[in-house]
């Protein structure tokens, strides 16, 4: 018992920040199912405990190796400022401790409950944003289809539904992702408890996505009809919330209906009734009190393998204090307020960002300005500098922020730009075209991380870990240029203006974002 409490204390100390972040995410509507996942996993282990004891409790040294892998991943995640890596690290450590305590045969009996814990881990921001953006577009298209089917005139521009006098924006909160995560968790649980052929169980899990999209598209269509009949207030307040809860219960009903239909297809000879197929692992010899008091159960936690796994946590718990207390040491730099507004033939006008965006982006310094060339071309320049890119405070990819307000990304590729006018060397930048109806914009963006110019967010995180570990630095910046492509204007001409300004600002960047 004492050793177990020590392990919990070490893990709580090491992962306090990532656990706090995870619980905060569980408090949101998208991941509210996260609170129940650990409880369900423990309950499933309790249900199977008689099988765990029957399989035999033989502690394994492989568990110590898995704990070592997990805590090594913890160091990577903390230096690279990636919560997803920290969450996976904690899961590996937990599995390693269980393996060192019970052994392979017992862990096989607990495989699903342990894997089910992964359903409580929030998606990384870039994956969440990409999925949410796509769901917004699918839901908007289905919503417009529902409205047109009943005779309501509606058009779609990205995630904006135009009803004439009223426009509805399908925001992240209405993308259907709030249905998708809890429904997927429930579908996975139902598939585990559903005693039938594997292809039916796999189909049940995979159907969570189309069910969520279809129901949410129908919901948006209903909101559009109510707005058409009763005005824009019908899309807000209690009615909007009520529709969400009612239709979420409808998704559960569709899931149960799907299981019932699947149970009728290619029935197994001993399938029995639908209730028989959807069981709670009802084996006749399940006596939990007897198995919990089994001598093998009482001896758990005192094996050399488990004690070694707990001992591995001690130096890493001490190291976590050093990592948490580390201070980045970037070189001094001038503030962006001193950045030149006259660059070549371009003249800039500084702009102010709204406080809500400043609070969300959490940068240490920024520049937002419109630069005009002599021929009337205007380019918007945005630069965000981060002195220390720790968890929750790092450069945000424009791909996560662009979708919305009716805008869609129509093309994305990487191009090479010259570092200087002599074209001696080049660096990669992201080239994105976005559209909203007949409007079009061209965007170039890249990351300056110390002396590196990068286009890949994954490389940014890789170098972030390496430089934080070897140089005590994690400073860097995002640079983004955007220009409108006017009707009749050649996109190549707009790209030429963007690349020209990108080349001209390059010599100045070293002063404001030091190598």
């Amino acid at each position: 018992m004492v050793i177990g409490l020590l392990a919990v204390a070490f893990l709580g100390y090491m992962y306090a920040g990532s656990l706090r972040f995870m619980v905060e995410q569980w408090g949101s509507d998208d991941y509210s199912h996260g609170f129940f996942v650990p409880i369900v996993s423990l309950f499933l282990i309790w249900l199977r405990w008689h099988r765990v004891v029957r399989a035999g409790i033989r502690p394994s040294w492989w568990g110590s190796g898995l704990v070592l892998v997990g805590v090594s991943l913890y160091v990577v995640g903390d230096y690279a400022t990636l919560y997803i890596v920290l969450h996976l690290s904690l899961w590996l450590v937990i599995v390693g401790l269980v393996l060192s305590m019970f052994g392979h045969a017992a862990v096989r009996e607990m495989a699903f409950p342990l894997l089910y814990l992964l359903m409580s881990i929030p998606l990384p921001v870039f994956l969440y944003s990409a999925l949410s953006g796509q769901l917004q577009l699918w839901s908007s298209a289905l919503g417009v289809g529902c409205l047109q089917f009943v005779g309501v005139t509606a058009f779609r521009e990205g995630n904006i539904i135009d009803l004439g006098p009223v426009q509805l924006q399908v925001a992240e909160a209405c993308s259907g992702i709030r249905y998708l995560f809890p429904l997927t968790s429930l579908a996975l649980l139902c598939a585990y408890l559903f005693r039938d052929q594997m292809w039916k169980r796999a189909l049940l899990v995979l159907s969570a996505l189309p069910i969520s999209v279809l129901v949410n598209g129908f919901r948006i269509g209903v909101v559009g009809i109510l707005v058409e009949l009763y005005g824009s207030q019908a899309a807000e307040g209690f009615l909007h919330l009520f529709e969400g809860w009612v239709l979420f219960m409808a998704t559960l009903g569709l899931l149960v209906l799907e299981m019932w239909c699947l149970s009728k297809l290619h029935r197994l000879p001993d399938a029995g009734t639908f209730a028989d197929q959807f069981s709670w692992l009802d084996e006749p010899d399940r006596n939990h009190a007897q198995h919990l008091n089994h001598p093998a159960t009482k001896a758990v936690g005192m094996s050399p393998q488990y004690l070694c796994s707990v001992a591995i946590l001690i130096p890493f718990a001490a190291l976590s204090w050093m990592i948490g207390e580390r201070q980045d040491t970037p070189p001094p730099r001038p503030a962006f307020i001193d950045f030149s507004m006259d660059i070549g033939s371009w003249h800039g006008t500084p702009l102010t960002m709204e406080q809500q965006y400043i609070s969300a982006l959490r940068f240490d310094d920024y520049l937002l300005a419109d630069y005009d060339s002599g021929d009337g071309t205007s380019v918007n320049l945005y630069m965000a500098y981060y002195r220390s890119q720790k968890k929750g405070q790092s450069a945000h990819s424009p791909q996560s922020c662009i979708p919305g307000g009716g805008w869609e990304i129509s093309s994305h590729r990487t191009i090479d730009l010259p570092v200087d006018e002599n074209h001696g060397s080049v660096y990669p930048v992201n080239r994105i075209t976005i559209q909203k109806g007949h409007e079009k914009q061209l965007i170039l963006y890249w990351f300056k991380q110390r002396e590196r110019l990068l286009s890949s967010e994954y490389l940014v995180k890789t170098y972030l870990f390496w430089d934080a570990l070897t140089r005590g630095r994690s400073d860097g910046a995002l640079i983004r240029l955007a220009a409108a492509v006017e009707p009749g204007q050649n996109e190549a001409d707009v790209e030429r203006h963007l690349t020209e300004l990108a080349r001209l600002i390059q010599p100045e960047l070293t002063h404001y974002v030091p190598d």
Side-chain angles (χ1 to χ4, degrees):
M1 177 64 72
V2 175
I3 301 299
L5 292 176
L6 280 176
V8 171
F10 288 143
L11 292 179
Y13 180 76
M14 291 172 60
Y15 294 94
S18 58
L19 286 172
R20 188 184 308 112
F21 173 82
M22 187 184 295
V23 171
E24 288 174 356
Q25 294 298 303
W26 292 351
S28 68
D29 292 329
D30 297 336
Y31 296 105
S32 55
H33 67 284
F35 288 107
F36 302 98
V37 170
I39 298 173
V40 171
S41 294
L42 288 173
F43 180 67
L44 292 176
I45 291 174
W46 180 77
L47 285 177
R48 297 185 67 89
W49 192 252
H50 62 293
R51 299 185 63 171
V52 172
V53 173
R54 191 190 310 160
I57 297 177
R58 291 179 288 274
S60 171
W61 288 105
W62 285 102
S64 300
L66 195 57
V67 170
L68 186 60
V69 172
V71 291
S72 300
L73 201 61
Y74 164 82
V75 176
V76 174
D78 202 75
Y79 272 105
T81 72
L82 288 171
Y83 275 119
I84 182 65
V85 176
L86 291 172
H87 299 330
L88 292 175
S89 162
L90 176 59
W91 179 78
L92 282 175
V93 171
I94 291 173
V95 174
L97 289 172
V98 173
L99 181 59
S100 65
M101 186 185 298
F102 296 101
H104 294 88
V107 167
R108 274 196 295 271
E109 295 296 335
M110 295 185 279
F112 178 83
L114 291 173
L115 288 170
Y116 194 65
L117 288 172
L118 294 173
M119 296 304 299
S120 65
I121 297 178
L123 287 179
V125 174
F126 70 94
L127 281 180
Y128 176 91
S129 299
L131 178 60
S132 178
Q134 190 59 60
L135 287 175
Q136 285 175 264
L137 298 177
W138 288 344
S139 298
S140 302
L142 284 170
V144 168
C146 291
L147 289 168
Q148 293 176 345
F149 180 76
V150 297
V152 176
T153 302
F155 303 95
R156 181 179 73 91
E157 289 186 350
N159 65 328
I160 300 295
I161 298 177
D162 190 349
L163 296 172
V166 178
Q167 289 187 327
L168 299 178
Q169 178 173 342
V170 182
E172 276 190 355
C174 302
S175 65
I177 207 163
R178 292 180 176 178
Y179 300 158
L180 178 61
F181 293 153
L183 189 66
T184 302
S185 298
L186 284 170
L188 192 61
L189 180 60
C190 290
Y192 173 67
L193 298 172
F194 187 41
R195 295 192 305 182
D196 211 316
Q197 294 159 289
M198 183 56 68
W199 70 268
K200 296 183 183 180
R201 301 161 85 177
L203 183 62
L204 190 65
V205 176
L206 294 175
S207 66
L209 176 59
I211 288 176
S212 300
V213 173
L214 287 171
V215 170
N216 194 57
F218 174 75
R219 170 176 172 256
I220 292 171
V222 170
V223 171
I225 294 172
L226 292 174
V227 169
E228 181 78 5
L229 295 175
Y230 303 109
S232 59
Q233 67 274 9
E236 302 172 356
F238 173 76
L239 183 60
H240 191 68
L241 180 65
F242 177 73
E243 291 160 353
W245 275 105
V246 167
L247 292 178
F248 177 69
M249 298 306 296
T251 62
L252 298 183
L254 289 174
L255 196 65
V256 174
L257 178 62
E258 181 185 2
M259 284 192 294
W260 182 82
C261 293
L262 288 172
S263 69
K264 303 298 180 182
L265 296 175
H266 302 286
R267 292 172 58 86
L268 298 174
D270 58 344
T273 65
F274 176 62
D276 293 331
Q277 289 180 277
F278 193 71
S279 70
W280 291 90
L281 306 173
D282 48 348
E283 296 183 12
D285 64 340
R286 191 171 60 197
N287 187 329
H288 297 291
Q290 174 186 344
H291 291 294
L292 287 173
N293 291 317
H294 193 278
T297 302
K298 292 182 177 181
V300 163
M302 295 305 294
S303 65
Q305 295 90 334
Y306 177 67
L307 294 176
C308 178
S309 296
V310 175
I312 291 173
L313 297 177
I314 298 175
F316 284 91
L319 181 63
S320 68
W321 177 82
M322 296 172 58
I323 295 175
E325 293 296 319
R326 78 182 191 275
Q327 296 294 327
D328 289 346
T329 56
R333 57 175 289 276
F336 276 137
I337 194 172
D338 297 325
F339 196 85
S340 177
M341 289 294 107
D342 291 294
I343 303 176
S345 61
W346 296 81
H347 177 71
T349 303
L351 304 173
T352 302
M353 186 178 294
E354 295 181 26
Q355 185 58 47
Q356 58 177 332
Y357 299 118
I358 294 176
S359 301
L361 296 171
R362 299 181 63 186
F363 41 64
D364 293 293
D365 191 14
Y366 81 99
L367 171 71
L368 184 64
D370 283 335
Y371 280 84
D372 294 316
S373 66
D375 61 0
T377 302
S378 179
V379 173
N380 180 263
L381 173 63
Y382 166 69
M383 296 190 288
Y385 173 78
Y386 295 82
R387 185 180 183 277
S388 177
Q389 298 187 76
K390 296 184 179 180
K391 296 179 287 293
Q393 185 178 8
S394 58
H396 292 242
S397 170
Q399 291 188 70
S400 303
C401 308
I402 288 171
W407 291 99
E408 294 182 67
I409 297 177
S410 56
S411 71
H412 177 208
R413 69 176 190 268
T414 302
I415 62 174
D416 290 328
L417 292 186
V419 174
D420 52 44
E421 58 185 357
N422 297 323
H423 302 336
S425 58
V426 297
Y427 62 98
V429 302
N430 294 284
R431 180 193 185 278
I432 291 180
T433 305
I434 62 174
Q435 287 185 289
K436 181 174 72 170
H438 299 295
E439 299 179 61
K440 181 189 291 188
Q441 287 189 26
L442 191 62
I443 295 173
L444 301 181
Y445 77 89
W446 67 96
F447 302 90
K448 188 175 189 307
Q449 304 290 303
R450 284 69 70 195
E451 70 278 7
R452 304 178 186 92
L453 300 173
L454 306 170
S455 61
S456 169
E457 289 87 348
Y458 301 102
L459 279 178
V460 168
K461 290 297 183 182
T462 301
Y463 286 120
L464 192 62
F465 161 71
W466 181 250
D467 289 347
L469 183 63
T470 61
R471 300 163 61 178
R473 289 182 59 185
S474 62
D475 53 306
L478 164 71
I479 298 93
R480 188 209 67 194
L481 297 96
V485 181
E486 302 296 342
Q489 191 175 15
N490 192 327
E491 193 171 305
D493 292 336
V494 177
E495 181 178 340
R496 179 172 53 81
H497 285 101
L498 287 173
T499 55
E500 177 190 353
L501 184 57
R503 177 179 58 80
L504 290 173
I505 66 173
Q506 191 59 45
E508 295 291 321
L509 283 180
T510 303
H511 303 297
Y512 295 90
V513 188
D515 289 345

